[in-house]
C-alpha cells in the first residue's frame, strides 16, 4: 500500500501526517506554513480529526492505529511512552525503570528523541530528573506549550 501524506495546521506549526491502512507511521511538526490538506484520505482523516480535538481541548486520549518504524528497542520505548497519562510527566529515570532497566537511561532518552509520531506518542511528557524540560525534537518552546496545554490550571503551593 502506498503511504499517504496529509498536512494539518496546529497552533504549533503544520503537522505532516504520513501513514496507510497499516497505521500512522509518522507525524512531524514543520516550521514552514503549509495549508491544511483539502483532501485527506480515510486512513489519515481520523488522525487529523483527533489532533484537532486534542488542540481544542476536547481529547485527552488518542485512539489510532499506529505503525512507527524503528528498532525493537525503540518500539518498546515508544509503547511505554503511551502509558504516561494525559497532563502527567515522567522523568527519563522513571521511564527507564518502567522499561525494566535503570541503566538504559541514555538509550531510552535517545529512543525518545527518535519518536516519529509527534504528540500521539507523548515524548513531550518526559522531563529531566530536576524537572527541567530537557531536549525535544520539536523545540523546547513546543514542549512547554504542550505541557501547559495539557495542564492549564496551575495549583498553588501549600508551602
Amino acid at each position: 500500500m502506498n503511504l499517504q501524506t496529509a498536512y494539518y495546521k496546529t497552533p504549533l506549526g503544520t503537522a505532516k501526517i504520513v501513514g496507510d491502512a497499516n497505521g500512522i507511521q509518522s507525524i512531524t511538526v514543520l516550521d514552514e506554513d503549509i495549508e491544511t490538506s483539502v483532501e485527506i484520505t480515510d486512513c489519515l482523516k481520523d488522525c487529523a480529526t483527533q489532533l484537532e480535538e486534542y488542540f481544542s481541548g476536547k481529547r485527552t486520549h488518542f485512539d489510532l492505529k499506529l505503525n512507527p518504524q524503528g528498532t525493537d528497542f525503540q518500539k518498546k520505548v515508544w509503547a511505554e511512552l503511551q502509558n504516561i497519562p494525559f497532563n502527567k510527566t515522567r522523568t527519563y529515570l522513571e521511564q527507564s525503570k518502567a522499561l525494566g532497566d535503570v541503566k538504559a537511561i541514555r538509550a531510552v532518552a535517545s529512543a525518545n528523541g527518535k519518536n516519529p509520531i509527534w504528540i500521539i506518542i507523548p515524548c513531550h511528557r518526559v522531563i529531566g530528573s530536576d524537572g527541567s524540560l530537557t531536549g525535544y525534537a520539536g523545540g523546547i518552546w513546543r514542549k512547554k506549550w504542550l505541557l501547559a496545554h495539557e495542564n492549564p490550571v496551575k495549583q498553588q503551593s501549600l508551602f
Side-chain angles (χ1 to χ4, degrees), residues 25-81:
Q25 267 193 21
S26 71
I27 301 174
T28 49
V29 62
L30 308 174
D31 288 322
E32 63 242 59
D33 190 27
I34 299 173
E35 286 301 313
T36 294
S37 300
V38 178
E39 296 286 320
I40 299 179
T41 60
D42 288 343
C43 62
L44 304 182
K45 195 172 287 201
D46 218 18
C47 182
T49 299
Q50 289 189 32
L51 281 172
E52 185 175 324
E53 292 167 353
Y54 170 84
F55 281 110
S56 67
K58 296 178 186 143
R59 177 172 288 278
T60 60
H61 176 78
F62 292 95
D63 182 24
L64 295 165
K65 188 174 179 184
L66 302 180
N67 187 20
Q69 304 300 299
T71 66
D72 288 343
F73 178 76
Q74 288 171 333
K75 289 177 183 179
K76 186 176 159 185
V77 170
W78 300 334
E80 184 57 39
L81 284 169

Side-chain angles (χ1 to χ4, degrees), residues 92 123 126 133-137 139-140 143:
Y92 287 99
C123 59
V126 181
L133 303 185
T134 57
Y136 186 64
I140 293 292
K143 182 171 187 164

Side-chain angles (χ1 to χ4, degrees), residues 74-110:
Q74 288 171 333
K75 289 177 183 179
K76 186 176 159 185
V77 170
W78 300 334
E80 184 57 39
L81 284 169
Q82 293 175 74
N83 293 327
I84 304 173
F86 182 85
N87 95 6
K88 300 285 184 218
T89 56
R90 199 183 268 177
T91 66
Y92 287 99
L93 181 60
E94 290 168 333
Q95 192 67 354
S96 298
K97 284 179 183 172
L99 287 157
D101 186 358
V102 102
K103 294 186 191 89
I105 192 166
R106 288 182 193 272
V108 167
S110 175

